[in-house]
């Protein structure tokens, strides 16, 4: 059974700082790994999708990496802004056609 | 905005009642998945529908059931509501069942009293 863990559970940084969010998964037999953003009380916004054959994906100030052999993914956010404050969730897609989510990292970027 | 719409956005029920939540998938997507997100937790997979058939199910009891219609919209039905069913219910649509990107709606917030 796939298990996904995100560390830290909460993170507070000053504006402008570069930061890394961590995601680990127990079963390396994944199809892809997806990062989402969730604002309070809202749905999920897809940020980046990394297929199992890929090592990283980039979108603007965001860069996600995937290392299947070690069961890890990271989300790198450059030059953080107060508008980046949200909960960030990673999810692994496996053969059961479902996403297994971590519990998220709640990010606060202080002005 | 993803194009996935859910209704209602909020609702309150009492224990033992039944509820139906609705989802309209993104244009061109033939697969709908439902997730339950308790407060402070990541979403948990309930089930997936592909071309009107259930195509995978998570660890949820049979009182959670669903439908998918020919236009690929979907319903989630929950019978005999329990207090622990209080959660945000998220619908996600995708093109085909396996490895594609999922697009989520804004969710339906269910409170069971």
């Amino acid at each position: 059974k796939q298990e996904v863990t995100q560390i830290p559970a909460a993170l507070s940084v000053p504006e402008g700082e570069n930061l890394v969010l961590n995601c680990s998964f127990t079963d390396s037999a994944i199809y892809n790994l997806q990062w989402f953003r969730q604002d309070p009380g809202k749905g999920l916004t897809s940020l980046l999708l990394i297929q199992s054959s890929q090592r990283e994906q980039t979108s603007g100030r965001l860069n996600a990496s995937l290392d299947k052999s070690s069961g890890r993914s990271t989300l790198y956010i450059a030059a953080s802004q107060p508008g980046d404050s949200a909960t960030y969730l990673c999810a692994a897609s496996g053969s059961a056609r479902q996403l297994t989510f971590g519990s998220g990292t709640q990010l606060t970027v202080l002005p | 905005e993803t194009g996935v719409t859910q209704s209602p956005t909020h609702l309150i029920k009492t224990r033992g009642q039944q509820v139906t939540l609705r989802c309209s998938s993104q244009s061109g997507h033939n697969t709908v998945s439902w997730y339950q997100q308790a407060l402070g937790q990541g979403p948990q997979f309930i089930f997936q529908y592909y071309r009107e058939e259930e195509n995978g199910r998570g660890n949820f009891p049979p009182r959670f059931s669903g439908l998918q219609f020919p236009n690929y919209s979907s319903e989630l039905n929950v019978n005999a509501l329990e207090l622990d069913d209080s959660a945000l219910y998220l619908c996600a649509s995708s093109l085909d069942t396996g490895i594609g990107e999922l697009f989520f709606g804004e969710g339906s917030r269910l409170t069971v009293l």
Side-chain angles (χ1 to χ4, degrees), chain A residues 31-32 34 36 38 41-49 51 89 93-94 96-104, chain B residues 2 33 35 37 40-43 45 48 55-58 88 90 97-102 104-107 109:
Chain A
Y31 286 125
N32 59 51
Q34 199 164 353
F36 295 90
Q38 186 173 34
K42 299 292 187 181
L44 307 183
T45 300
S46 178
L47 297 174
L48 290 165
L49 171 73
Q51 299 291 355
L89 294 152
S93 175
R97 301 184 177 91
Q98 61 180 277
L99 291 181
T100 303
F101 284 85
S103 295
Chain B
T2 63
S33 302
Y35 287 79
Q37 186 178 25
Q41 301 295 317
F45 175 71
Q48 180 187 88
N55 189 48
R57 188 177 184 93
L88 181 67
L90 295 163
T97 63
I99 61 175
E101 190 172 4
L102 265 65
F104 282 81
E106 290 294 309
R109 170 73 64 186

Side-chain angles (χ1 to χ4, degrees), chain A residues 53-75:
Chain A
S53 58
Q54 298 174 320
R55 293 297 297 262
E56 65 179 297
Q57 280 287 337
T58 298
S59 176
R61 294 183 294 109
L62 305 179
N63 175 275
S65 68
L66 175 63
D67 184 343
K68 282 180 54 178
S69 62
S70 66
R72 293 181 182 179
S73 177
T74 61
L75 179 67

